[in-house]
Structure formats: C-alpha cells, structure tokens
Amino acid sequence: MLEEGISAQLGNTIYKCGASRPRRGFWARGFFTLRNSHFATYCLARSGEQRLRALISRNRAIHRNLSKGGGAFVQHIVFHEGDIDEVDRKWVRRNAGLKGIYFVDIGADFKPLPTHYWSGEQNHRLGYALMCRFHYYQVWDYLAEFEWALRVDSDIEILRPLKAGSYGSEFVTGRIVKESHATTVKTLPVKLAKLGIEQSNWLCPYTNLFGTRPSFWLDAHVRDKLRSVAEDELALEYRWGDAPVLAAMIRQYGNSDLTSIVDGQVEYFHGSNRDLVTAKKVERGAGGPVGDLRLGSLSRAPGHWWRALQKLVR
C-alpha cells in the first residue's frame, strides 16, 4: 500500500516517543531521538560495487560540504529496494566519513498497485517509473518528522558548501530545466486539468539535488493531488516524472515561483552523465567527480564469497 510507508516494516512494534498515537515516518520505528533531528539528507540507492563506491563518494562530499548550523544533527537516509545487505551496509558506513547513516528498505512500496496498467511496451523500465513515483509521492511519509530534507542522489558529488535548512521557501534547487519527456508533455496536462491544475509551462527543478520542507508535500491539498497522480491507472505506463509533478504542485500551492527557488551557489557533479551542474549551465561530459581519486584506496567491496564465509563463522 502507498500509505503504509516505513511503518509497514514494524509489525506490531510502535514507538510512542511520548505521544498518544503512532507517529509517521522514522519516528514510528524508534530509530531516532527527537532532539536535534530536524534535518535529513536522502537518496535512493542500488546494490553493486560501482554504485556503492559512488554512494561513498557522495557521502564523503556531503561530509565536506554540508554545514549543519545551530548544532543540529543531520541524519543521512539511504533508501533501497531490499538489495543492499548488511555486509554492504557496513562497508559503506565504514568508508563514508559520515555519522548517522540509516539504510531503509522500501521494497514493499516499490511495486505497482493492482489498478496500474503496464503494457511492457514502453521505452522505459518499470523500475524507473516506480522510482519517479517514489520521489514525488511516497518519500514524504518517510520524511514526515523532519523540518528540512535534502535530496542528494547516489551519483551526486557536491562541490560547494551548503547549509542544511537555511532557506525560507518550501523548495530550493540548483537549476531549472525544461521537461523533455514527450509522453509526459502529452499526457500529464490532461491528468492535472482534471485536478484543477493548469500546466502553464514545462520549467522544472533539477531534482537530482534539491532541498525542501516535507510538510509542504504532506499538506492535505498537495497530498491529495499527489495521491491522485500516483494512483492513476496510467501513471507508470506514461512514466510521469518526479520533476514535472513536483513543479506543478509548487506553481499551484507554493509561496514562490520557480525562478526564485534557485540557489546560484550550488555546484555539483552528476555521475550518471558525468556532468558539472551549476545554476547557469550544465557542462556535459565534464569529467568524473573528484571523489574518484579518493576512492582508489578503498578495499574491494565484499563479494559473495565473503558473505558465505560470514555465514559459516556465525
């Protein structure tokens, strides 16, 4: 179910935290104390040595460049589909240079609803469509107790200092781009019009790195619209992306327009495309992140033989 979020992993265990009712998000699991836990970074990661090395590089860059301010403790959340096992989690923690890394299995949420149509004939993978849905809808329940959350994708390396939760608006990004997915451009406005939302243009935040207040997305009006998009029969078939969906909600319900939510100081490498991203431009194929050099001394990620040995000696 889309609504269950992380609480679905609890069974009958509920963390009260002094409250008379169960709390949403991480607090329901009792991972964290309530003090000084207002900010979070998060990403959706996958297993595999090269992907995990990129994740370590990302985490080290966060450690170098994220200024917490006010003594607030930033918690670092890595969502995964259940494919990053305990051995790999320990390896990432040992090499990341960050404290407060939590791996959260979202495998139960990462699947279509019975009402979703999927032909299998589209040019995108089902997993990609599910990833988009997770990032515009399901993720907010997991982040419900945080005042501010910074999405830093697993292949991103921040190059300039950022300050957690230092922005006044509900959303801030490093760059505005134009949506280019033809199927989304053709079909999403039809869905939005039924919800009373006009699609005035296709300018969108670059969503591989942005900061936001989860409370904005959990507001009843915004939440209902996101749910309607996510549960639409054709949401996965048409692969409605997180960027245009979030942009539509910001224009409709936000306190700022898209041009005012750009932080011109943001600069980072996007590993998938090997791009250097700034507010003014994207340098395509600008080279690998500087973290590539720092990872040369890492021990090799544990392989299947190591996991088998671990089972034998337990």
Side-chain angles (χ1 to χ4, degrees):
M1 294 292 292
L2 290 174
E3 291 296 327
E4 290 177 347
I6 198 169
S7 299
Q9 303 175 37
L10 276 172
N12 295 320
T13 304
I14 297 295
Y15 180 61
K16 294 297 184 181
C17 198
S20 59
R21 60 180 177 83
R23 306 290 295 276
R24 286 194 299 183
F26 281 106
W27 306 104
R29 291 199 72 180
F31 274 162
F32 310 127
T33 59
L34 197 58
R35 292 174 296 178
N36 298 326
S37 298
H38 304 304
F39 309 124
T41 71
Y42 71 96
C43 70
L44 178 60
R46 298 178 65 189
S47 63
E49 181 171 345
Q50 292 306 312
R51 294 191 186 102
L52 295 179
R53 283 177 175 267
L55 178 62
I56 291 171
S57 182
R58 163 201 182 267
N59 292 346
R60 290 182 175 186
I62 289 174
H63 178 70
R64 293 192 301 271
N65 291 300
L66 188 64
S67 172
K68 293 176 285 190
F73 178 58
V74 179
Q75 301 183 19
H76 306 283
I77 304 159
V78 179
F79 298 110
H80 63 100
E81 302 168 46
D83 57 336
I84 302 179
D85 62 22
E86 183 60 26
V87 174
D88 283 339
R89 293 197 292 269
K90 288 181 178 179
W91 184 68
V92 171
R93 288 192 183 103
R94 186 168 64 248
N95 289 286
L98 284 175
K99 294 182 179 179
I101 299 178
Y102 298 89
F103 288 85
V104 180
D105 183 351
I106 62 163
D109 286 342
F110 216 76
K111 58 185 66 174
L113 294 174
T115 55
H116 278 142
Y117 174 72
W118 177 252
S119 67
E121 299 175 356
Q122 299 295 332
N123 292 326
H124 58 269
R125 295 176 290 105
L126 176 60
Y128 191 89
L130 292 171
M131 179 271 290
C132 293
R133 184 190 68 180
F134 175 78
H135 277 305
Y136 69 70
Y137 178 54
Q138 293 162 298
V139 69
W140 309 120
D141 268 341
Y142 289 90
L143 301 173
E145 299 296 341
F146 294 102
E147 292 181 10
W148 185 261
L150 182 67
R151 174 176 164 183
V152 185
D153 280 0
S154 60
D155 60 347
I156 294 296
E157 183 167 346
I158 301 171
L159 299 179
R160 284 190 178 183
L162 299 174
K163 189 172 182 180
S166 61
Y167 303 98
S169 65
E170 63 276 341
F171 195 97
V172 65
T173 185
R175 183 170 175 79
I176 298 297
V177 296
K178 188 174 183 179
E179 176 62 38
S180 59
H181 182 239
T183 303
T184 294
V185 171
K186 180 179 179 180
T187 61
L188 183 58
V190 177
K191 176 63 180 182
L192 294 176
K194 293 178 181 178
L195 300 176
I197 299 175
E198 180 183 358
Q199 184 67 28
S200 56
N201 62 67
W202 288 105
L203 295 180
C204 305
Y206 215 9
T207 53
N208 47 33
L209 188 153
F210 67 81
T212 190
R213 299 186 184 279
S215 59
F216 171 77
W217 306 103
L218 292 167
D219 175 83
H221 296 291
V222 179
R223 181 69 174 169
D224 286 346
K225 298 299 190 294
L226 290 176
R227 180 189 297 112
S228 183
V229 173
E231 295 181 350
D232 189 276
E233 177 185 7
L234 296 172
L236 303 182
E237 179 75 3
Y238 289 158
R239 202 230 74 186
W240 291 333
D242 49 296
V245 174
L246 297 179
M249 300 303 157
I250 293 171
R251 278 192 292 266
Q252 185 78 7
Y253 298 106
N255 296 322
S256 56
D257 60 37
L258 287 179
T259 59
S260 67
I261 64 172
V262 176
D263 180 351
Q265 299 302 309
V266 172
E267 184 176 323
Y268 61 92
F269 275 111
H270 182 203
S272 295
N273 300 325
R274 305 184 75 81
D275 293 342
L276 174 63
V277 181
T278 67
K280 294 182 179 180
K281 61 181 178 179
V282 175
E283 293 185 24
R284 301 293 182 185
V290 294
D292 283 352
L293 300 177
R294 296 189 176 91
L295 296 184
S297 60
L298 279 184
S299 61
R300 186 172 177 82
H304 296 296
W305 66 269
W306 175 251
R307 295 186 180 87
L309 180 61
Q310 291 285 84
K311 293 179 180 178
L312 289 174
V313 299
R314 283 174 185 168

